[in-house]
């Protein structure tokens, strides 16, 4: 078993994040020492923690992360990640269109004071 400080270093999750995840029952310690209240995690916790790190990177909300963790079979995980990916692809395409429209705007000289008849 791993103490919080060691587990934090292993997973990349801060102690504060681990405390918060425990409060919301996203990632609870496997053991809390009744004498000193130290929290301990195990190898199974490590796997869940690493998954949570990825889900955060993938823009999952806390609620979505809770749904994934509570579905112990992880049956829907691939579908959820594919949906997130598709949403990101669409957002990238939308942003690319905006960038292209901005470039067109500048090519027209609309933003250029020298060519602006209103100046």
């Amino acid at each position: 078993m791993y103490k919080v400080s060691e587990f934090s270093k292993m997973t990349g999750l801060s102690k504060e994040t681990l405390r918060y995840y425990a409060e919301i029952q996203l990632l609870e310690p496997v053991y809390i020492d009744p004498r000193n209240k130290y929290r301990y995690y195990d190898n199974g916790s490590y796997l869940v923690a690493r998954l949570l790190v990825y889900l955060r990177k993938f823009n999952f909300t806390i609620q979505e992360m809770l749904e994934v963790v509570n579905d112990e079979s992880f049956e829907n995980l691939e579908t959820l990640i594919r949906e997130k990916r598709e949403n990101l692809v669409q957002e990238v395409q939308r942003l690319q269109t905006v960038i292209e429209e901005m470039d067109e705007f500048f090519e027209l000289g609309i933003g250029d004071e020298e060519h602006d008849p209103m100046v």
Side-chain angles (χ1 to χ4, degrees), residues 21-81:
Y21 284 0
E23 285 175 22
I24 63 170
Q25 299 177 336
L26 184 58
L27 177 61
E28 298 177 81
V30 292
Y31 176 72
I32 300 175
D33 189 319
R35 295 171 292 139
N36 55 22
K37 304 294 186 217
Y38 285 4
R39 294 169 289 143
Y40 293 90
Y41 296 88
D42 63 7
N43 289 334
S45 303
Y46 175 77
L47 296 175
V48 173
R50 293 303 303 153
L51 173 62
L52 294 175
V53 168
Y54 277 106
L55 295 181
R56 277 181 24 178
K57 288 179 184 178
F58 296 163
N59 264 356
F60 275 61
T61 64
I62 292 292
Q63 186 59 42
E64 290 169 328
M65 290 167 43
L66 279 164
E67 290 172 22
V68 168
V69 170
N70 289 331
D71 176 15
E72 294 176 2
S73 69
F74 297 108
E75 187 175 316
N76 298 315
L77 180 58
E78 183 177 345
T79 301
L80 291 171
I81 292 173

Side-chain angles (χ1 to χ4, degrees), residues 69-116:
V69 170
N70 289 331
D71 176 15
E72 294 176 2
S73 69
F74 297 108
E75 187 175 316
N76 298 315
L77 180 58
E78 183 177 345
T79 301
L80 291 171
I81 292 173
R82 288 190 186 280
E83 286 174 6
K84 284 285 183 185
R85 184 186 184 287
E86 182 57 32
N87 291 340
L88 287 172
V89 166
Q90 289 175 9
E91 181 64 8
V92 166
Q93 290 170 345
R94 186 191 71 76
L95 291 171
Q96 187 60 44
T97 300
V98 170
I99 290 169
E100 290 167 6
E101 289 172 354
M102 288 175 169
D103 291 343
E104 289 172 11
F105 177 84
F106 289 123
E107 286 174 15
L108 292 173
I110 295 173
D112 188 351
E113 287 183 19
E114 291 178 21
H115 297 93
D116 192 348

